[in-house]
Amino acid sequence: MIDLEGLATGPDTTILTIAAQAFDPFGSGHYDRHYYARVTLESQENRSIDDGTIAWWATQPAHAREEAFGEQDRIPLDQALDELGRLIWHAKLIWAQGPTYDMNILEHAYKSYGKALPWKYYQVRDSRTVFSLWPELPIPPTSHHALEDCRRQIGMLQTTLQHLNVKELK
């Protein structure tokens, strides 16, 4: 599962944080393998920042803003993409909640650095579509901490697949 937090909504969004969490869609919980990075804004001078998104961040809880905007432990986007790629290159499927946000942004970032994508287009899956198949799915609140949100989405996906009695994905 991949999740990121950013400063706009288009493919060239400035990325604040990136997370990926390995898991079994038919299991429970997640594996120990995960990735989380807070990205420097200075490494993304040509990426977009949207005033509306900045205003939205101002309405989020203080702990979410601190995690997204805090200065400590940030790395350049180029480094974050390399590190993320090392985790996900061997994954059978890549999940995101609405891949038109997370995956489009990451694809744009990889291409802007001339890097090969660490996934194939046919591996990307949308957890939000799966959730919509069970309208009564209990939905816990989003934290806007990318790794916590990955884990939240994994739990919801596993619960939905179990509820729908899905035993296999192609």
Side-chain angles (χ1 to χ4, degrees):
M1 184 71 70
I2 291 179
D3 191 69
L4 61 83
E5 298 297 335
L7 292 176
T9 58
D12 63 341
T13 293
T14 297
I15 299 169
L16 295 169
T17 59
I18 301 172
Q21 176 67 63
F23 72 105
D24 174 0
F26 304 107
S28 177
H30 49 80
Y31 301 138
D32 290 337
R33 290 188 336 267
H34 68 275
Y35 180 72
Y36 182 72
R38 300 168 82 210
V39 183
T40 62
L41 300 183
E42 299 78 20
S43 67
Q44 305 179 71
E45 292 177 1
N46 296 322
R47 301 186 68 78
S48 293
I49 296 175
D50 175 70
D51 290 340
T53 304
I54 296 291
W56 174 84
W57 272 109
T59 68
Q60 298 308 299
H63 67 277
R65 290 192 317 269
E66 176 55 32
E67 183 58 36
F69 292 95
E71 294 294 321
Q72 67 279 10
D73 302 323
R74 291 197 173 274
I75 62 173
L77 180 56
D78 183 44
Q79 178 183 342
L81 295 173
D82 288 343
E83 292 173 359
L84 175 66
R86 285 194 287 277
L87 175 72
I88 66 172
W89 72 269
H90 58 75
K92 182 178 175 184
L93 298 174
I94 305 294
W95 291 87
Q97 185 155 319
T100 58
Y101 182 75
D102 305 281
M103 301 311 292
N104 281 350
I105 293 168
L106 286 173
E107 182 173 342
H108 185 279
Y110 275 100
K111 288 180 178 180
S112 72
Y113 281 101
K115 297 178 183 293
L117 296 178
W119 68 84
K120 303 290 185 204
Y121 70 91
Y122 54 81
Q123 293 176 292
V124 177
R125 298 293 185 272
D126 176 11
S127 60
R128 189 174 287 138
T129 299
V130 175
F131 303 157
S132 73
L133 299 173
W134 183 18
E136 295 82 25
L137 171 68
I139 300 178
T142 302
S143 71
H144 298 297
H145 181 296
L147 187 57
E148 290 175 7
D149 287 344
C150 278
R151 292 173 177 167
R152 172 185 153 279
Q153 291 157 200
I154 287 167
M156 292 169 54
L157 178 67
Q158 290 168 331
T159 300
T160 301
L161 293 175
Q162 290 167 5
H163 175 79
L164 298 174
N165 202 30
V166 176
K167 304 288 185 200
E168 181 180 0
L169 297 166
K170 291 188 178 190

